[in-house]
């Protein structure tokens, strides 16, 4: 018997997402599963700090707050709940959910999935001579200079599947991949086997699309002015079918839109090329096909899968010292001279000047204009950020700046009073054998070990790499200089210390033109900041997209990055703002474009 689609609604894309999202999802059109993604590399660092302060913490309390609003309704409607909000302490998270169940006087079967704590295995392997080389730089872990606070293995969704098989109403996990919380329920509902590679890959792709919440429904979308209801976008739903294909949609009447382009944008988010590796399967993103099949309905099909990798990503979190910053406001004329004096006076107030700290970042943001009409047109901001192993030195830093307040440039004031230093974490990614990380689930008195996927050698892919295909010849004829964003959308983000950037074209001709020049040399011209970085260039032809991973652009990772855009979120829009010589024929085509992928009644005029 063929089973109908499974409707999985995602109510969280990060630790801090909209608290009402779970309630909105559960009280809209019927859903089968409510999921939420709370974990990111930055979040894991936050949870480490939590646990240092209180051993009972280390999980996302906002998930418990959301579940408090909807648990009874989920039980009444038979909605399963799956979340990775357990973080470093899934059993502690489950205990708080049990408290909710007692308060509402309802029996709830709560399963806990763990096995992801790799701290002991990491240290044992290092004692045996393993170097724990950094995934991107190849450096040995010894260069980090200290032991990790915690090490987590990125595990898959199969223990979630088996916990649901065992009757769980709520499944709380530790560190699993973002897509695993969608793959697990789909594998449970359709009773897939562990070698149903194409179906599993389809679920991973659906999971990747909805895992970041409203980013699939118009959030952070390059062409946001074309989307109505952006002030309160809805959250996404994946209707997954038995063959692994899916339809991406959202609750009716909510803001934003689900179009081929909003789904494309999310598919390009934080990926590193066509082979999207998850612990249960490798999904080939270069096989994904999208089709607009109705208002706010996009079909995802054609996804091919390869056997699961034999190694899993492991992330070690190491203290990166202490961070603090101060921002001077500079007003009127002589901005550069004022900025220079502010820094000279600050460094003179410190025993070793600028060398007092391990790392210093200085940035001057200019909003000042000649002959300003208002005060806001007369100011610039000078922000100085420091990082140092000494908490005391980092905490005292702003005080040195404050002491210059009446003895420096005219008009000096600060945006905020001094604040204590904050500890930062360095994320160290590496790979370890999947076979040493069996998952476990606990449901009541039942404790079940779930082995890793079957080990199948998949070093060679039967599919060609689209980047190896001949590049189209660039069109001839007149050009016009205008922003790249007039033809292309973008989505960027972070992967440890790397920045990821995907760019998609709105027409086939624009895609051919993009492919004709998308090379490392051209990318470095667009992004001079990447001049010293190695680049991994990739393409997804069915999505009319090209992309690049800029290795090391974000330094030691987002938590330790002192730059303004520490997570690479603005990189895509920065590139779209770059002026480039574009064939006039393409600009004419775009001007006359009637995009069949967007619902015209949702376009803002």
């Amino acid at each position: 018997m063929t089973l109908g689609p499974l409707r999985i609604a995602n109510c969280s894309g990060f630790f801090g997402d909209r608290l009402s999202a779970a309630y909105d999802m559960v009280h809209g059109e019927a859903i089968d599963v409510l999921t939420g993604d709370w974990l990111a590399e930055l979040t894991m660092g936050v949870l480490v700090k939590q646990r240092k302060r209180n051993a009972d913490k280390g999980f996302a309390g906002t998930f418990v707050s959301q579940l408090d609003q909807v648990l009874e309704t989920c039980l009444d409607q038979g909605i399963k709940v799956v979340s990775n909000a357990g973080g470093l302490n899934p059993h502690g998270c489950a205990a708080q959910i049990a408290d909710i169940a007692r308060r509402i006087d309802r029996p709830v079967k709560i399963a806990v999935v763990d096995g992801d704590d790799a701290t002991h295995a990491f240290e044992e392997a290092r004692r045996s001579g393993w170097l724990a080389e950094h995934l991107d730089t190849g450096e040995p872990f010894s260069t980090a200079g200290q032991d990790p606070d915690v090490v987590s293995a990125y595990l898959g969704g199969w223990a979630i599947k088996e916990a649901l098989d065992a009757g769980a109403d709520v499944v709380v996990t530790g560190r699993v991949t973002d897509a695993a919380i969608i793959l697990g329920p789909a594998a449970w509902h359709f009773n897939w086997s562990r070698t149903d590679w194409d179906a599993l890959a389809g679920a991973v792709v659906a999971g990747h699309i909805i895992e970041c919440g409203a980013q699939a429904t118009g959030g952070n979308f390059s062409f946001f002015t074309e989307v109505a209801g952006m002030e309160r976008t809805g959250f996404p739903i994946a209707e997954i079918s038995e063959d692994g294909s899916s339809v991406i949609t959202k609750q009716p009447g909510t803001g934003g839109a689900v179009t081929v382009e909003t789904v494309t944008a999310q598919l390009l988010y934080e990926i590193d090329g066509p082979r999207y590796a998850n612990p249960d399967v490798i999904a080939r993103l270069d096989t994904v096909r999208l089709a607009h099949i109705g208002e706010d309905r996009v079909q995802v099909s054609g996804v091919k899968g390869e056997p699961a990798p034999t190694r899993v990503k492991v992330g070690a979190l190491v203290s990166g010292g202490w961070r603090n910053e101060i921002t001077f406001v500079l007003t009127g004329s002589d901005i550069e001279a004022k900025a220079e004096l502010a820094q000279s006076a600050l460094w003179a107030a410190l025993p070793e000047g600028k060398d007092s700290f391990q790392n210093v970042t200085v940035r001057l943001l200019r909003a000042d204009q000649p002959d300003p009409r208002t005060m806001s047109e007369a100011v610039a901001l000078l922000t100085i950020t420091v990082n140092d192993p000494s908490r005391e030195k980092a905490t005292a830093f702003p005080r040195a700046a404050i002491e210059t307040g009446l003895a420096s440039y005219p008009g000096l004031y600060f945006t905020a009073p001094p604040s204590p230093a904050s500890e930062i974490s360095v994320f160290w990614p590496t790979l370890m054998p999947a076979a040493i990380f069996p998952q476990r689930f606990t449901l009541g008195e039942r404790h079940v070990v779930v082995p890793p996927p079957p080990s199948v050698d998949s070093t060679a892919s039967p599919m060609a790499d689209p980047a190896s295909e001949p590049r189209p010849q660039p069109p001839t004829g007149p050009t016009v200089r205008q922003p790249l964003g007039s033809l292309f959308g973008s989505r960027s983000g972070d992967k440890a210390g790397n920045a990821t950037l995907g760019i998609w074209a709105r027409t086939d001709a624009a895609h051919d033109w993009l492919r004709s020049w998308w090379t490392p040399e051209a990318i470095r011209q667009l992004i001079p900041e990447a001049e010293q970085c190695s680049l991994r260039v990739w393409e997804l032809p069915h999505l009319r997209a090209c992309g690049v991973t800029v290795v090391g652009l974000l330094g030691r990772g987002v938590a330790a990055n002192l730059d303004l855009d520490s997570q690479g979120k603005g990189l895509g829009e920065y590139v779209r703002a770059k002026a480039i010589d574009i064939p006039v024929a393409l600009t004419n085509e775009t001007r006359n474009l009637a995009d069949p992928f967007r619902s015209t009644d949702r376009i803002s005029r």
Side-chain angles (χ1 to χ4, degrees):
M1 182 181 70
T2 301
L3 295 172
L6 181 72
R7 281 173 54 90
I8 302 179
N10 186 51
C11 68
S12 176
F14 71 104
F15 191 1
D17 215 338
R18 189 185 307 167
L19 280 175
S20 65
Y23 183 91
D24 295 341
M25 284 297 206
V26 168
H27 291 86
E29 287 189 352
I31 59 175
D32 301 306
V33 182
L34 179 70
T35 64
D37 173 28
W38 266 262
L39 300 186
E41 290 151 6
L42 184 63
T43 306
M44 296 298 284
V46 171
L47 297 182
V48 166
K49 295 178 191 176
Q50 263 192 23
R51 199 171 65 172
K52 284 182 178 180
R53 293 192 298 266
N54 184 339
D56 293 331
K57 297 297 183 181
F59 58 87
T62 48
F63 166 64
V64 179
S65 300
Q66 283 193 311
L67 203 55
D68 198 7
Q69 302 173 25
V70 302
L71 180 57
E72 191 165 14
T73 304
C74 288
L75 294 171
D76 290 341
Q77 297 181 9
I79 299 172
K80 302 290 187 180
V81 179
V82 179
S83 173
N84 62 10
L88 300 177
N89 186 9
H91 291 274
C93 185
Q96 292 209 352
I97 298 168
D99 289 342
I100 298 172
R102 283 189 288 271
R103 190 170 67 250
I104 64 176
D105 195 25
R106 295 288 295 273
V108 181
K109 295 179 180 178
I110 306 168
V112 174
V113 171
D114 59 13
D116 56 295
D117 187 348
T119 308
H120 178 71
F122 185 85
E123 291 304 313
E124 282 291 306
R126 289 187 65 215
R127 279 193 287 268
S128 299
W130 177 57
L131 298 180
E133 294 96 337
H134 192 283
L135 190 57
D136 294 305
T137 67
E139 295 176 278
F141 183 75
S142 58
T143 61
Q146 57 188 306
D147 293 331
D149 289 318
V150 69
V151 186
S152 299
Y154 287 59
L155 301 184
W158 213 258
I160 297 171
K161 184 261 188 196
E162 294 206 9
L164 293 170
D165 282 343
D169 301 309
V170 178
V171 182
V172 180
T173 80
R175 195 37 162 139
V176 297
T177 63
D178 302 344
I181 58 175
I182 286 86
L183 178 145
W188 158 72
H189 181 71
F190 298 113
N191 197 30
W192 290 333
S193 78
R194 300 203 74 164
T195 56
D196 284 333
W197 304 123
D198 291 350
L200 294 171
V204 163
V205 169
H208 178 55
I209 293 169
I210 71 171
E211 73 189 36
C212 285
Q215 280 197 168
T217 57
N220 295 339
F221 181 56
S222 292
F223 305 106
F224 67 97
T225 58
E226 300 175 358
V227 180
M230 284 296 297
E231 68 279 359
R232 194 72 169 174
T233 53
F235 278 63
I237 297 170
E239 298 175 353
I240 302 179
S241 296
E242 192 164 8
D243 63 355
S245 64
S246 62
V247 172
I248 308 301
T249 185
K250 63 185 184 68
Q251 293 288 19
T254 57
V258 178
T259 73
V260 164
E261 288 196 284
T262 66
V263 172
T264 293
Q266 176 55 26
L267 278 169
L268 297 178
Y269 183 58
E270 293 184 345
I271 63 172
D272 193 21
R275 300 177 82 243
Y276 188 60
N278 269 246
D280 294 306
V281 65
I282 297 172
R284 289 295 300 240
L285 299 181
D286 51 344
T287 64
V288 176
R289 294 183 180 272
L290 304 179
H292 177 254
I293 61 171
E295 183 179 1
D296 292 323
R297 294 182 66 80
V298 171
Q299 185 176 57
V300 184
S301 62
V303 184
K304 296 297 182 183
E306 297 175 358
T310 58
R311 295 189 295 173
V312 296
K313 180 180 174 181
V314 169
L317 286 169
V318 181
S319 175
W322 298 84
R323 167 184 176 148
N324 213 335
E325 71 178 25
I326 192 81
T327 297
F328 298 80
V329 182
L330 317 170
T331 308
S333 58
D334 302 319
I335 293 296
E336 291 87 354
K338 289 173 180 174
E340 183 177 346
L341 177 56
Q343 294 177 72
S344 298
L346 172 61
W347 303 133
L350 293 163
E352 299 177 59
K354 196 173 183 179
D355 293 333
S356 297
F357 305 99
Q358 188 175 71
N359 297 296
V360 176
T361 297
V362 179
R363 59 178 177 268
L364 178 62
L365 298 182
R366 303 288 299 266
D368 56 297
Q369 299 180 22
D371 189 19
R373 294 180 297 110
T374 64
M375 176 66 84
S376 61
E377 292 183 355
V379 299
L381 300 178
L382 174 69
T383 299
I384 302 177
T385 309
V386 301
N387 166 222
D388 198 81
S390 168
R391 181 178 187 175
E392 291 73 19
K393 286 167 62 176
T395 297
F397 164 68
R399 179 64 195 170
I402 295 297
E403 288 179 354
T404 69
L406 301 181
S408 187
Y409 63 85
L412 187 157
Y413 64 98
F414 303 96
T415 58
S419 61
S422 58
E423 189 176 15
I424 61 178
S425 295
V426 174
F427 180 77
W428 188 281
T430 188
L431 296 173
M432 296 186 74
I436 66 174
F437 295 113
Q439 281 183 303
R440 298 182 295 265
F441 79 82
T442 302
L443 181 58
E445 299 300 316
R446 187 175 180 185
H447 306 276
V448 178
V449 175
V450 181
S455 178
V456 179
D457 186 9
S458 180
T459 56
S461 168
M463 287 170 277
D465 180 355
S468 66
E469 297 176 4
R471 294 187 179 277
Q473 290 298 312
T476 57
T479 62
V480 60
R481 195 161 184 83
Q482 63 184 46
L484 196 65
S486 61
L487 291 185
F488 303 99
S490 69
R491 179 64 58 83
S492 60
D494 66 277
K495 278 296 178 187
N498 302 338
T500 66
L501 169 67
I503 294 183
W504 80 90
R506 309 194 89 177
T507 68
D508 291 338
H511 176 226
D512 286 343
W513 178 69
L514 176 65
R515 286 196 68 235
S516 73
W517 59 265
W518 189 253
T519 63
E521 295 73 25
I523 293 166
R524 287 193 173 94
Q525 288 184 2
L526 280 176
I527 311 172
E529 296 88 340
E531 179 62 36
Q532 301 303 316
C533 300
S534 62
L535 305 179
R536 294 197 285 263
V537 179
W538 44 267
E539 297 182 24
L540 301 180
H542 297 318
L543 302 182
R544 297 194 298 218
C546 294
V548 63
T549 301
V550 186
V551 179
L553 185 67
L554 305 181
R556 297 184 298 163
V558 299
N561 188 348
L562 304 186
D563 292 338
L564 182 62
D565 184 15
S566 62
Q567 298 183 68
K569 300 291 188 182
L571 178 62
E573 291 302 296
Y574 165 55
V575 169
R576 290 184 70 240
K578 295 273 187 169
I580 191 168
D581 293 326
I582 297 174
V584 171
L586 295 182
T587 63
N588 291 338
E589 180 183 53
T590 301
R591 190 176 299 116
N592 298 324
L593 178 65
D595 190 347
F597 301 143
R598 297 193 301 276
S599 302
T600 54
D601 59 350
R602 285 195 172 274
I603 305 301
S604 299
R605 298 298 183 188

